[in-house]
Amino acid sequence: MNKKTTRINKLIDILKIRGFVSIKELSSMLNVSEMTIRRDLEILKNNDIAENIYGTTVYNPAHTVVKNEDEYNLLGEVKKKNAQKDDIGRFAASLVDEDDIIIIDTGSTTERIAANLPTDKSLSVLCYGVNILMELRRNPGVKMLFAGGFYHANTQMFESPESIDFIKGVRAQKVFISAAGVHRQLGVTCVNSYEVPVKRAILQSSVQKILVTDSSKFDVVRPAFFCELDRIDIIVTDNALGDEWRRLIAEAGIKLYTV
Amino acid sequence: MNKKTTRINKLIDILKIRGFVSIKELSSMLNVSEMTIRRDLEILKNNDIAENIYGTTVYNPAHTVVKNEDEYNLLGEVKKKNAQKDDIGRFAASLVDEDDIIIIDTGSTTERIAANLPTDKSLSVLCYGVNILMELRRNPGVKMLFAGGFYHANTQMFESPESIDFIKGVRAQKVFISAAGVHRQLGVTCVNSYEVPVKRAILQSSVQKILVTDSSKFDVVRPAFFCELDRIDIIVTDNALGDEWRRLIAEAGIKLYTV
DNA sequence: ATTTTTATGTTATGATAATCACAAAATGAT
DNA sequence: ATCATTTTGTGATTATCATAACATAAAAAT
């Protein structure tokens, strides 16, 4: 992975959280010259992620570029997949009803759910990811519940045994769960083992289990198994999903939405 | 109605819509000098409605100040107190050592501790306030622990029974605790009863108990009692503290720092 | 291994913004 | 109306930012 990409990713993360940051600060945070930051921001500007006004850089909360497999790739042309994730997120968000209690898992796609949540509805949302929390804070209609613990930088989530207890004490209409792999025999998987108890707890606490993931995750197996496919009620993914999967999903009695 | 109040209300409305505006533009829109706008923004800043970085003013979508009776009324003497709070926060932050594990309570003063924490030291920090979390995330040397739960907008904190368990499982060198009232006979108090179990838990989990509060809170009694004064090891406050309190604190064997 | 391309840092220069002190104007109370 | 207080404006000073041109370093390609 090249240095520039890594830096730009950090830059976006910082902007997402803070909303607006001065170039000077970004420069010292990322240990590069201000000139480099300016050049990076030029790229973000072209991708509609941030706007640079005299003195400060402002993050655009409505941006459609989505993190893909742990990293943004703005230099290549993988923007298509990012648009897909935003579409998936927007659609999933539309499944939410007035006064719903929902749980939002970690991940880049689920982040787009949080960002696209209706602002005119009264909602309760449980989450444990910092990126999700930041998106939710923009939404005045949301009553927030947050499961804390120890911070894991790679997934931007908090987690602890007490958190699991907290989640188990919550009841929700819908859970939006993410996955790094979906396999016919081997079930639904994620990357880190610490995610497993959390994912199992949120599945247990919700009436409707909605899996949100782009089509590239199908047929993929990841190290940490957290549930069988048939526990899922609804899948939201993009329309690049193959026919055999569509049949398989229908046979399993799962409602499928492709966007 | 006051001219100034009207202008500030218009200003907030403009910011709400645009998100970020330059002072120059605001000045011409409202037909007053830039200096006046700057002074108005000083007030908004103290009320967490907007932040002014070199060049532009950014609206804070998560601001907690609510319009009442059709307009904002922000004209207190918040300004003076704010500088004091930052001084207290900066001093308290200087008490932190390399590799310390610290707990930071909610509050505007404790937020200033988080903001002034050294960036060159490796630290672990436990908190449960969103404002504190935002400040900590700027600091790359900080390992974060977060106690979640249900969100309380008035204190910007999360809280739940499972959180208390989580806190009880943590051990720290220092806790920085805030208070809304400190009274000779009636002890240390806060406003909301839900804060009490949290405050008691963080006191229990720390070696050193450091009370940070401005001098206006002394002789004040608030509804929710959480500990006797003599449980405190160190008090950090401003130098407006009266002589009888200095004597009292000394007699109680508490180390006092006034800034 | 050498060339070419790309990425980053440095410097200088002009533009813009922030700050301060003081003056002017508006407001409010007696 | 008069005086005190608050609010606003002005200009000079200082600090910060943007841009471009150039130099250097690192990667990629041949």
Side-chain angles (χ1 to χ4, degrees):
Chain A
M1 166 90 43
N2 82 43
K3 251 201 276 187
K4 189 176 178 179
T5 317
T6 318
R7 187 186 57 240
I8 291 186
N9 276 282
K10 284 186 194 163
L11 209 155
I12 296 172
D13 284 339
I14 293 167
L15 274 171
K16 239 183 216 167
I17 291 150
R18 296 270 305 271
F20 49 91
V21 194
S22 74
I23 290 182
K24 198 176 190 178
E25 203 172 350
L26 287 169
S27 156
S28 79
M29 277 197 271
L30 299 169
N31 284 309
V32 289
S33 73
E34 296 186 18
M35 199 60 227
T36 303
I37 299 290
R38 285 175 200 289
R39 286 189 266 242
D40 289 349
L41 291 177
E42 196 55 33
I43 296 166
L44 298 203
K45 198 175 165 185
N46 294 334
N47 285 279
D48 277 326
I49 294 176
E51 186 168 341
N52 183 257
I53 335 163
Y54 206 97
T56 67
T57 305
V58 183
Y59 173 72
N60 173 15
H63 87 82
T64 52
V65 184
V66 182
K67 230 185 192 181
N68 174 30
E69 284 166 25
D70 271 2
E71 294 291 334
Y72 290 92
N73 193 345
L74 311 166
L75 310 169
E77 315 78 13
V78 202
K79 267 195 280 182
K80 214 187 300 172
K81 206 176 246 177
N82 296 331
Q84 277 179 354
K85 288 197 177 187
D86 195 63
D87 289 342
I88 295 171
R90 187 176 302 110
F91 181 86
S94 76
L95 298 174
V96 172
D97 298 316
E98 176 84 29
D99 289 324
D100 261 359
I101 302 157
I102 66 172
I103 303 177
I104 302 182
D105 195 13
T106 40
S108 52
T109 312
T110 50
E111 181 188 309
R112 302 317 303 159
I113 301 178
N116 287 298
L117 237 34
T119 51
D120 59 335
K121 287 196 174 82
S122 143
L123 293 173
S124 296
V125 182
L126 167 62
C127 68
Y128 34 85
V130 180
N131 52 341
I132 313 278
L133 180 66
M134 293 307 146
E135 294 292 345
L136 291 180
R137 269 173 63 85
R138 301 175 194 274
N139 196 326
V142 169
K143 268 194 276 296
M144 290 185 289
L145 323 204
F146 194 85
F150 300 91
Y151 187 64
H152 298 269
N154 60 338
T155 48
Q156 295 196 64
M157 73 176 269
F158 287 94
E159 161 272 336
S160 76
E162 291 83 2
S163 266
I164 306 288
D165 290 340
F166 176 68
I167 294 169
K168 284 180 178 162
V170 173
R171 289 292 179 268
Q173 269 83 41
K174 302 176 175 86
V175 59
F176 294 96
I177 198 160
S178 66
V182 182
H183 192 270
R184 185 179 185 169
Q185 275 96 35
L186 299 175
V188 193
T189 49
C190 57
V191 176
N192 307 287
S193 63
Y194 63 76
E195 298 179 67
V196 174
V198 177
K199 289 189 188 260
R200 289 192 177 154
I202 60 175
L203 281 168
Q204 223 176 353
S205 290
S206 296
V207 179
Q208 257 187 335
K209 292 132 183 108
I210 306 170
L211 181 69
V212 286
T213 186
D214 62 277
S215 59
S216 72
K217 307 292 167 56
F218 287 81
D219 292 321
V220 171
V221 176
R222 292 291 193 168
F225 167 79
F226 65 88
C227 82
E228 296 293 352
L229 192 56
D230 59 18
R231 289 224 32 208
I232 303 297
D233 300 307
I234 298 175
I235 294 178
V236 182
T237 188
D238 58 88
N239 51 29
L241 190 73
D243 285 340
E244 64 279 27
W245 265 109
R246 290 174 190 269
R247 197 168 30 79
L248 223 68
I249 289 167
E251 279 170 11
I254 301 169
K255 177 91 189 125
L256 174 69
Y257 295 105
T258 56
V259 295
Chain B
M1 165 165 338
N2 193 322
K3 228 184 195 177
K4 189 177 178 180
T5 320
T6 319
R7 187 184 58 239
I8 291 186
N9 276 284
K10 280 186 196 166
L11 210 155
I12 295 172
D13 286 339
I14 293 168
L15 274 170
K16 243 184 211 164
I17 294 160
R18 296 270 305 269
F20 48 91
V21 194
S22 77
I23 289 184
K24 205 175 195 173
E25 201 171 351
L26 288 169
S27 155
S28 78
M29 275 196 274
L30 299 168
N31 286 307
V32 286
S33 74
E34 296 187 17
M35 200 59 225
T36 303
I37 299 289
R38 285 178 200 288
R39 285 188 268 242
D40 289 349
L41 291 177
E42 194 55 33
I43 294 164
L44 297 202
K45 194 180 165 186
N46 291 333
N47 285 280
D48 277 326
I49 294 177
E51 188 165 338
N52 183 258
I53 330 177
Y54 212 101
T56 61
T57 304
V58 186
Y59 175 72
N60 172 14
H63 84 82
T64 49
V65 182
V66 237
K67 236 183 186 182
N68 65 339
E69 288 166 24
D70 258 11
E71 60 173 281
Y72 296 90
N73 194 350
L74 316 164
L75 313 172
E77 358 63 32
V78 198
K79 215 191 284 184
K80 230 178 294 169
K81 247 182 203 170
N82 249 55
Q84 277 182 353
K85 285 185 179 183
D86 195 63
D87 289 342
I88 295 172
R90 187 175 301 112
F91 181 86
S94 76
L95 297 175
V96 172
D97 298 317
E98 177 83 30
D99 289 324
D100 262 359
I101 302 157
I102 66 173
I103 304 177
I104 302 182
D105 194 14
T106 40
S108 49
T109 311
T110 49
E111 181 187 312
R112 302 318 302 158
I113 300 177
N116 287 298
L117 237 35
T119 50
D120 59 337
K121 288 196 173 83
S122 144
L123 293 173
S124 296
V125 182
L126 166 62
C127 68
Y128 35 84
V130 180
N131 51 341
I132 314 279
L133 181 67
M134 304 275 277
E135 295 292 343
L136 290 181
R137 279 189 62 93
R138 304 182 186 207
N139 197 326
V142 168
K143 269 195 276 296
M144 288 185 292
L145 323 204
F146 194 85
F150 301 91
Y151 187 64
H152 297 269
N154 58 339
T155 49
Q156 294 196 64
M157 72 176 269
F158 287 94
E159 161 274 334
S160 76
E162 291 83 4
S163 266
I164 306 287
D165 291 340
F166 177 67
I167 294 170
K168 283 180 179 164
V170 173
R171 290 291 179 268
Q173 271 81 40
K174 302 177 175 86
V175 59
F176 295 95
I177 198 160
S178 65
V182 182
H183 192 270
R184 185 179 185 170
Q185 275 97 35
L186 300 176
V188 193
T189 49
C190 58
V191 175
N192 308 286
S193 61
Y194 64 76
E195 297 179 68
V196 174
V198 177
K199 288 188 188 260
R200 290 192 177 155
I202 60 175
L203 281 169
Q204 223 175 355
S205 289
S206 297
V207 180
Q208 258 188 336
K209 292 135 184 104
I210 305 169
L211 181 69
V212 287
T213 185
D214 61 277
S215 59
S216 72
K217 306 292 168 56
F218 287 81
D219 292 321
V220 172
V221 176
R222 291 292 191 170
F225 167 79
F226 65 87
C227 83
E228 296 294 351
L229 192 56
D230 58 19
R231 288 222 35 207
I232 303 297
D233 300 308
I234 298 174
I235 294 178
V236 183
T237 188
D238 58 88
N239 52 28
L241 189 72
D243 286 339
E244 63 279 27
W245 265 108
R246 290 174 190 268
R247 196 167 34 77
L248 224 67
I249 290 168
E251 278 170 13
I254 302 169
K255 178 94 189 125
L256 174 69
Y257 295 105
T258 56
V259 296

